[in-house]
Amino acid sequence: MKRILALLILTIGLLLPLAAAAASVPEAADAMAAAMDVQMARKLGQEAPPAKGISIMVTTPVDLGDLEGANGLARQMAEEMSRWFVQAGYRVQEIRKGRTILFQPETGELLLTRKTELLGTQNVSSVAILAGTYTITPKAVRFNMRLIHTPSNEVLAMGTATVPVSEELRPLLVDASRLGPIRPSVGTSLR
């Protein structure tokens, strides 16, 4: 029986890194958020997660080599982590909420914005801010996320995860704001 248990533990130990390497964006976000939740509960002296009484703001992870650059995958990671924290019972503040609903016939009814002049409020307060960085390699994207205590800048919790680059994710790795105006690469005509 001890041999079987030891073999099972060894097998699980060998498979866990493979499972982590094959993580999807939602799985990577869940793993990082759950790890940070445990750290937060411990830091607050709570017996078990979820950490109670915490309000957080979520920001987009930035490129470690350019702290002003981000891509679609980073924005998706922020959305997935926000989802996890809301579902876990955290009070997540939406900092992109506009003052009013913007009606655009070609797009739809919009409430979220990144235009500061359209924001509902520019003074949002919370206990912690979720922030992070990412690094792109040819085969994977490594995320390092942290919950930063707003008043003191202390890192309260940290989580890391690696997402393999797939054909599905490759288009999200481009920072569209740096491409300039989109121009057709081929000519077309209607007959």
Side-chain angles (χ1 to χ4, degrees):
M1 185 66 169
K2 286 184 181 179
R3 246 186 187 165
I4 293 172
L5 186 59
L7 183 59
L8 181 62
I9 291 171
L10 177 64
T11 303
I12 291 171
L14 292 174
L15 292 177
L16 280 178
L18 296 175
S24 67
V25 175
E27 291 168 335
D30 290 355
M32 286 189 290
M36 290 191 291
D37 185 37
V38 169
Q39 294 169 50
M40 288 290 289
R42 191 176 330 138
K43 207 159 241 200
L44 296 171
Q46 298 177 2
E47 290 183 25
K52 295 169 184 64
I54 300 295
S55 64
I56 63 173
M57 288 184 280
V58 176
T59 65
T60 303
V62 294
D63 182 339
L64 184 59
D66 176 9
L67 296 181
E68 295 180 8
N71 59 36
L73 181 60
R75 289 184 285 278
Q76 182 60 38
M77 182 61 76
E79 291 293 313
E80 295 291 346
M81 293 193 74
S82 183
R83 170 200 45 84
W84 191 96
F85 282 111
V86 166
Q87 290 175 343
Y90 283 76
R91 294 185 344 249
V92 177
Q93 296 178 322
E94 180 54 74
I95 59 176
R96 300 169 299 176
K97 181 189 167 288
R99 277 189 306 272
T100 61
I101 296 173
L102 179 62
F103 291 87
Q104 292 187 340
E106 64 280 354
T107 308
E109 299 74 42
L110 310 174
L111 181 62
L112 300 181
T113 184
R114 286 196 173 92
K115 296 178 180 176
T116 55
E117 67 275 9
L118 297 178
L119 290 174
T121 181
Q122 294 181 2
N123 298 319
V124 181
S125 64
S126 67
V127 172
I129 299 173
L130 178 69
T133 61
Y134 64 86
T135 302
I136 302 173
T137 68
K139 294 184 179 183
V141 181
R142 180 74 174 174
F143 285 92
N144 295 286
M145 301 298 291
R146 57 195 54 86
L147 280 168
I148 302 168
H149 188 239
T150 307
S152 69
N153 291 342
E154 176 188 0
V155 175
L156 299 173
M158 201 161 179
T160 61
T162 301
V163 177
V165 174
S166 65
E167 288 308 310
E168 179 184 2
L169 294 182
R170 199 169 304 283
L172 296 175
L173 298 178
V174 177
D175 179 358
S177 69
R178 295 177 186 201
L179 296 178
I182 298 174
R183 295 184 176 90
S185 59
V186 296
T188 59
S189 64
L190 296 175
R191 291 183 188 237

